[in-house]
Amino acid sequence: MSSTSPTVVGRLAPSPTGRLHLGHARSFLLAWWSARAAGGRVLLRIEDLDQERAREQWTAAIVEDLTWLGLDWDGAVELQSEHLDTVDLALEQLVGAGRVYPCVCTRREVREAASAPHDEVPGQASIEPVYPGTCRGRFGTRAEAEAITGRQAVLRFLVEGAAGTARSQASIAGSTGPVGATAVDFHDELQGPQSIDLALHGGDFVVSRKGGLPAYQLAVVEADARAGVTEVLRGDDLLVSTARQLLLQRALGLPSPRWLHVPLVQDPEGERLAKRTGGLSLAELREAGLEPERVVAWVAASAGMSPGRRGTAAERIGDFDVDRLPREPVRLDPRAFG
Ligand code: GLU
């Protein structure tokens, strides 16, 4: 690596909420190839902050599945839960800068008070209820919010232009839609220029959950920055999250990585492969006697790499070419593994 080209650092960031399936295998293999083909490093970070769904047993299973697939990583496996202190420092920075505020609304209240759903924004992922800004400017600190209301509070990041800034005008006008919407613009190396209006996608988002655990958006931004991650290749279901993560990176003065969002793998009916999809988990395929090179070959073919060639993940690094990655969702024909 020459001194003028900084080392590429990629990462695999699975959540330990179930066994890996072929869709995960595809995104992780592509992320791994992309970094390794550039002579870069790859980190493995287990995103275990979702207390309701994350289980320790899945961490071991994921490591086993990735190893079977032929992937490796630099350094120890990182558990996000072991770095809460540094995420708290980032949160303090946001609190100090007045970028977040306490919110005591329940999910149900948010749903009921949310503006009418703005569905079908072309090319953008599923629409969540837009937080109407109810708690903006209502309380000083989180402790105060909790003392006054007797409820636990989350902290939300204030999205400039999303509902709430001009809430009074909106209600006078009888409007239920977002006011003064602002788009977050960024370039995705696969999907091209993106312009995502967070006022249509959830509005002010949670960065610290009830009880104080960091929410996904902040934890990811902090972990990627701490590890010096320079490229993020992941499923395009996270495009809207990328807009949120960019706002956090800007607010925290952190660099943004290169973004590559790959379309998700779909089942024959065109539905996204879910973790429960029977028969398509790497563990089941392995137990049925499948060789990992078959999975590697399928991912390679789906990524425009020479279909005739065989080999392990490592043996095929040189065939990877980001410019040949298709932009369309990949349909999985289960007979490919029959
Ligand atoms: N842990 C997330 C997931 O499994 C991915 C996070 C990311 O790539 O930023 O969906």
Side-chain angles (χ1 to χ4, degrees):
M1 187 93 348
S2 84
S3 57
T4 49
S5 71
T7 307
V8 168
V9 182
R11 47 50 153 208
L12 316 175
S15 300
T17 54
R19 296 232 62 147
L20 299 186
H21 56 58
L22 286 166
H24 298 114
R26 183 171 190 272
S27 322
F28 292 143
L29 201 41
L30 295 178
W32 190 85
W33 273 333
S34 180
R36 291 291 194 226
R41 305 172 63 222
V42 178
L43 311 175
L44 175 59
R45 178 175 75 233
I46 305 289
E47 305 212 311
D48 60 345
L49 292 184
D50 183 344
Q51 283 182 318
E52 280 156 36
R53 297 167 61 229
R55 297 278 173 275
E56 237 174 271
Q57 85 218 48
W58 298 128
T59 298
I62 286 170
V63 169
E64 189 184 6
D65 289 348
L66 293 175
T67 307
W68 174 78
L69 194 57
L71 305 190
D72 62 358
W73 43 89
D74 299 284
V77 179
E78 172 174 329
L79 296 183
Q80 227 169 18
S81 57
E82 289 174 354
H83 296 271
L84 295 178
D85 289 356
T86 40
V87 191
D88 282 347
L89 291 178
L91 184 64
E92 275 169 34
Q93 201 181 326
L94 295 175
V95 171
R99 305 301 299 270
V100 298
Y101 64 90
C103 165
V104 294
C105 297
T106 61
R107 277 189 198 167
R108 185 170 171 179
E109 285 166 346
V110 174
R111 240 190 353 262
E112 287 174 1
S115 20
H118 298 256
D119 37 41
E120 302 308 321
V121 179
Q124 298 193 7
S126 73
I127 302 300
E128 310 154 44
V130 175
Y131 180 68
T134 321
C135 286
R136 271 194 179 191
R138 242 179 110 190
F139 311 105
T141 61
R142 181 182 221 159
E144 184 193 303
E146 295 185 341
I148 292 174
T149 63
R151 292 179 177 192
Q152 282 193 306
V154 300
L155 294 179
R156 284 184 188 272
F157 185 85
L158 201 148
V159 175
E160 291 302 338
T165 347
R167 191 155 42 97
S168 50
Q169 288 98 309
S171 57
I172 289 166
S175 160
T176 53
V179 182
T182 328
V184 181
D185 296 330
F186 61 96
H187 183 76
D188 184 274
E189 306 257 339
L190 296 172
Q191 316 276 343
Q194 302 292 309
S195 183
I196 295 181
D197 189 349
L198 289 178
L200 302 180
H201 291 274
D204 296 348
F205 57 89
V206 176
V207 288
S208 173
R209 293 186 283 181
K210 287 180 185 163
L213 269 188
Y216 161 71
Q217 309 294 350
L218 183 61
V220 166
V221 162
E222 187 281 329
D224 282 343
R226 183 167 32 78
V229 166
T230 64
E231 72 172 40
V232 168
L233 185 153
R234 58 187 177 188
D236 66 2
D237 55 326
L238 289 169
L239 269 171
V240 172
S241 284
T242 298
R244 299 185 183 117
Q245 289 164 27
L246 267 160
L247 289 187
L248 290 176
Q249 283 157 353
R250 288 178 197 159
L252 291 165
L254 299 172
S256 293
R258 171 179 181 228
W259 307 105
L260 304 101
H261 288 85
V262 289
L264 294 180
V265 177
Q266 299 179 347
D267 67 15
E269 284 74 50
E271 295 293 328
R272 164 183 172 175
L273 282 195
K275 285 189 173 142
R276 60 184 167 278
T277 304
L280 298 176
S281 75
L282 298 187
E284 284 163 302
L285 294 171
R286 179 169 67 240
E287 276 148 29
L290 193 89
E291 294 297 323
E293 285 74 16
R294 291 272 308 279
V295 178
V296 170
W298 170 73
V299 176
S302 79
M305 292 158 65
S306 23
R309 299 188 57 176
R310 297 294 298 258
T312 62
E315 284 163 354
R316 304 218 50 187
I317 293 172
D319 299 342
F320 178 79
D321 180 356
V322 77
D323 294 332
R324 296 177 70 175
L325 278 177
R327 273 67 174 159
E328 302 77 41
V330 174
R331 284 280 169 102
L332 175 67
D333 179 354
R335 283 172 304 182
F337 297 98

